[in-house]
């Protein structure tokens, strides 16, 4: 009876163990499946963005024999006033006619002129301003082509026909002639990094948005870090433990979870409608993002202060240090790495925000690069939002390229936070 009972018990235990092992394997498999799904989703996202955006880092250019004819330009000397009114468009058209002398009809000429970007005259103007001796002479220069031509040339690598869009058969023939003669080729797109926004995709760049993001983050960091650290020190080291401080702590934690667009509405009401600060300015954007980032910095700073062992404070007090000396000479230096890590993560979060900045008017069309915190500006996420809404096909790759730049900056900031924490971290 006893042997039978023991056998039954052993059988039940074996069945139970087998069931537990199956559940453990199932749970482990679900975990691995979840990680694999997440990695696959990230790979698909990055593959899609890189495949669409990598083309924006190159730009098709056409080589033309340009003659700086005084009669065509309408000037007899090179100075700022003459260059302002000079007819560089006529010079480019003359070069195109000389390159394709068989084109005579009015509509054909208009089609021919559309090979070159509308921003090409500014390139010639800058070149003549830098080299006044070129007036009356000829030279070969590389000029940007129109976005339709650029899209057609880039799509030729995928298919022999290429993406026609608004490109006619006649225009495609001219492009193939230029490609065969080496007068049309792809070069690194410096315009993408040196220009501001433009209605013409081939002239659009991210420099104005990058400078706007930089000024906005500087204002945010200059305000949110000292205020957040001071609030954390007071709440952690000085504030009495009562109902009011508990209420403040609960509200700080709740503010960290408030949707960012609410801060945008608050900034619109306070900074623009009440204080009448300029719209679409990095100063207002920085103030709004300061409100949004403060809870994150306060919470991370308090966690860093709590991580400092009480024995440090007791030892300093035992040596006769005042409360302020204990905090600023001993506790704060030890907690600073954790505070900086929280600040960097908060800045990275602020850099990627779009909704609150849309509410304060930073969605404007900005061509000029801002020179200060009160100049009209936009930021990189808003620039991406604007380009994504543009109908031209060439803006698709520029949108993805701008996303790649934004993700690169975010990855650098987060990596810096991790490295800083590992380097300065102290284990107690």
């Amino acid at each position: 009876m006893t042997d039978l009972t023991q056998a039954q018990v052993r059988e039940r235990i074996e069945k139970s163990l087998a069931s537990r092992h199956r559940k453990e394997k199932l749970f482990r498999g679900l975990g691995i499946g979840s990680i694999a799904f997440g990695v696959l989703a990230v790979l698909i996202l990055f593959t899609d963005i890189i495949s669409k955006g990598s083309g924006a880092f190159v730009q098709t250019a056409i080589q033309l024999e340009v003659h700086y004819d005084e009669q065509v330009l309408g000037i007899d000397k090179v100075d700022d006033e003459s260059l302002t009114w000079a007819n560089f468009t006529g010079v480019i058209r003359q070069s195109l006619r000389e390159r394709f002398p068989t084109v005579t009809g009015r509509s054909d000429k208009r089609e021919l002129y559309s090979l070159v970007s509308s921003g090409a005259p500014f390139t010639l103007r800058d070149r003549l301003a830098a080299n006044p001796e070129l007036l009356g002479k000829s030279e070969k220069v590389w000029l940007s082509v129109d976005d339709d031509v650029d899209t057609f040339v880039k799509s030729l690598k995928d298919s022999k026909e290429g993406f026609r869009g608004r490109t006619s058969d006649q225009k495609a023939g001219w492009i193939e002639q230029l490609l065969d003669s080496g007068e049309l080729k792809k070069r690194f797109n410096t315009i993408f990094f040196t220009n501001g926004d433009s209605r013409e995709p081939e002239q659009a760049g991210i420099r104005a948005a990058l400078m706007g993001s930089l000024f906005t983050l500087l204002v945010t960091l200059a305000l949110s870090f000292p205020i957040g650290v001071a609030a954390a020190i007071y709440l952690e080291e000085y504030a009495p433990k009562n109902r009011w401080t508990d209420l403040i702590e609960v509200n700080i934690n709740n503010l960290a979870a408030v949707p960012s667009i609410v801060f945008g509405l608050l900034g619109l009401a306070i900074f623009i409608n009440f204080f009448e600060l300029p719209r679409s300015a990095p100063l207002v954007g920085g103030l709004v993002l300061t409100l949004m980032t403060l809870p994150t910095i306060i919470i991370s700073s308090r966690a860093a202060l709590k991580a400092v062992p009480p024995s440090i404070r007791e030892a300093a007090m035992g040596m006769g240090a005042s409360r302020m000396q204990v905090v600023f000479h001993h506790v704060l230096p030890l907690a600073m790495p954790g505070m900086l890590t929280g600040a960097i993560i908060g800045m990275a979060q602020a850099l990627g925000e779009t909704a609150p900045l849309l509410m304060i008017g930073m969605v404007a069309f900005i061509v000029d690069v801002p020179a200060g915190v009160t100049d009209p500006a936009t930021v990189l996420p808003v620039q991406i939002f604007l380009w994504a809404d543009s109908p031209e096909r060439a803006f698709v790759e520029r949108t993805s390229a701008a996303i790649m730049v934004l993700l690169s900056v975010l990855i650098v900031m987060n990596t810096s936070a991790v490295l800083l924490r590992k380097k300065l971290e102290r284990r107690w």
Side-chain angles (χ1 to χ4, degrees):
M1 184 68 183
T2 305
D3 293 340
L4 184 60
T5 303
Q6 287 178 347
Q8 288 177 342
V9 169
R10 189 178 300 111
E11 184 181 358
R12 289 182 178 180
I13 290 175
E14 289 175 353
K15 287 183 178 178
S16 173
L17 280 176
S19 174
R20 288 163 60 186
H21 288 162
R22 281 197 302 273
K23 290 179 180 177
E24 188 173 350
K25 287 182 180 177
L26 177 63
F27 181 75
R28 190 179 300 174
L30 289 173
I32 294 174
S34 301
I35 294 173
F37 178 78
V39 172
L40 179 64
V42 171
L43 285 177
I44 291 174
L45 173 67
F46 275 79
T47 303
D48 181 65
I49 292 174
I50 293 173
S51 62
K52 289 181 179 175
S54 57
F57 297 111
V58 292
Q59 171 71 29
T60 308
I62 182 173
Q63 188 183 45
L64 291 177
E65 179 80 24
V66 174
H67 179 53
Y68 298 95
D69 191 337
E70 292 96 330
Q71 292 185 348
V72 178
L73 289 171
I75 60 175
D76 54 4
K77 59 181 179 179
V78 178
D79 55 27
D80 292 341
E81 185 177 357
S82 300
L83 291 175
T84 302
W85 301 105
N87 183 19
F88 289 102
T89 303
V91 169
I92 294 173
R93 291 180 176 181
Q94 184 183 42
S95 301
L96 287 169
R97 289 195 300 270
E98 291 173 356
R99 175 61 182 82
F100 295 96
T102 57
V103 179
T104 54
R106 185 175 179 180
S107 60
D108 292 343
K109 285 183 179 178
R110 188 164 55 245
E111 188 81 4
L112 180 65
Y113 299 155
S114 66
L115 283 172
V116 181
S117 167
S118 59
F122 300 106
T123 304
L124 291 185
R125 184 195 62 185
D126 296 340
R127 183 152 185 80
L128 186 58
N131 305 280
E133 69 278 5
L134 288 175
L135 186 63
K137 299 180 181 177
S138 300
E139 67 163 350
K140 288 185 176 180
V141 293
W142 288 94
L143 301 173
S144 297
V145 299
D146 185 69
D147 61 294
D148 290 332
V149 179
D150 184 50
T151 304
F152 176 74
V153 173
K154 289 176 180 174
S155 63
L156 284 176
K157 64 180 181 181
D158 301 325
S159 65
K160 292 183 179 178
E161 291 296 326
F163 177 78
R164 286 296 182 91
R166 294 177 290 186
T167 305
S168 64
D169 293 341
Q170 186 182 33
K171 199 171 182 178
W174 294 333
I175 293 171
E176 289 173 2
Q177 286 182 38
L178 292 168
L179 283 171
D180 293 339
S181 62
E183 296 168 280
L184 202 67
K185 67 178 183 180
K186 290 181 283 187
R187 305 185 305 172
F188 181 71
N189 188 7
T190 55
I191 293 174
F192 183 72
F193 296 98
T194 56
N195 277 20
D197 198 5
S198 173
R199 299 293 184 198
E200 303 298 332
E202 73 275 7
Q203 295 296 320
I206 59 171
R207 187 181 173 193
L210 277 175
M211 292 303 295
S213 295
L214 176 64
F215 285 130
T216 304
L217 285 184
L218 285 177
V219 173
T220 306
L221 181 63
L223 293 175
S224 62
F225 187 67
I227 295 174
V229 169
I233 290 175
Y234 176 77
L235 290 172
E236 196 60 36
E237 302 291 338
Y238 290 95
K241 302 298 179 186
N242 55 32
R243 188 178 302 174
W244 290 107
T245 53
D246 291 342
L247 181 65
I248 292 173
E249 289 180 14
V250 169
N251 279 287
I252 289 174
N253 293 331
N254 288 335
L255 282 173
V258 170
S260 58
I261 195 168
V262 175
F263 293 102
L265 291 169
L266 181 65
L268 175 67
I270 296 178
F271 302 126
I272 293 180
N273 292 343
F274 185 76
F275 288 107
E276 298 183 350
L277 292 176
R279 294 176 68 91
S280 190
L283 176 62
V284 181
L287 289 170
V288 171
L289 293 181
T290 296
L291 296 176
M292 192 197 73
T293 311
L294 263 179
T296 303
I297 294 180
I298 292 174
I299 292 171
S300 62
S301 298
R302 291 192 66 189
L305 290 170
K306 282 181 181 176
V308 178
S311 57
I312 300 293
R313 298 174 177 82
E314 294 167 359
M317 296 286 282
M319 294 298 291
S322 66
R323 192 72 175 270
M324 182 175 291
Q325 288 174 325
V326 171
V327 172
F328 287 95
H329 294 178
H330 300 279
V331 178
L332 189 58
L334 294 173
M336 190 54 73
M339 293 178 173
L340 290 176
T341 302
I344 293 174
I345 293 174
M347 290 300 105
Q349 180 188 2
L351 177 63
E353 281 297 336
T354 306
L357 302 179
L358 293 178
M359 299 306 299
I360 58 169
M362 294 194 79
V363 70
F365 178 74
I366 304 297
V367 177
D368 298 324
V369 178
V373 295
T374 56
D375 289 347
T378 185
V379 291
L380 203 49
V382 177
Q383 187 68 76
I384 293 170
F385 172 78
L386 290 172
W387 283 354
D389 200 37
S390 299
E392 287 87 352
R393 180 183 172 89
F395 273 120
V396 174
E397 63 179 15
R398 277 156 180 79
T399 303
S400 297
I403 292 173
M404 290 169 65
V405 174
L406 178 62
L407 287 177
S408 300
V409 176
L410 290 174
I411 289 172
V412 168
M413 293 181 72
N414 284 299
T415 304
S416 303
V418 172
L419 293 177
L420 188 67
R421 185 176 59 206
K422 283 190 174 181
K423 185 175 182 180
L424 302 177
E425 185 180 34
R426 287 192 178 188
R427 297 184 180 276
W428 308 98

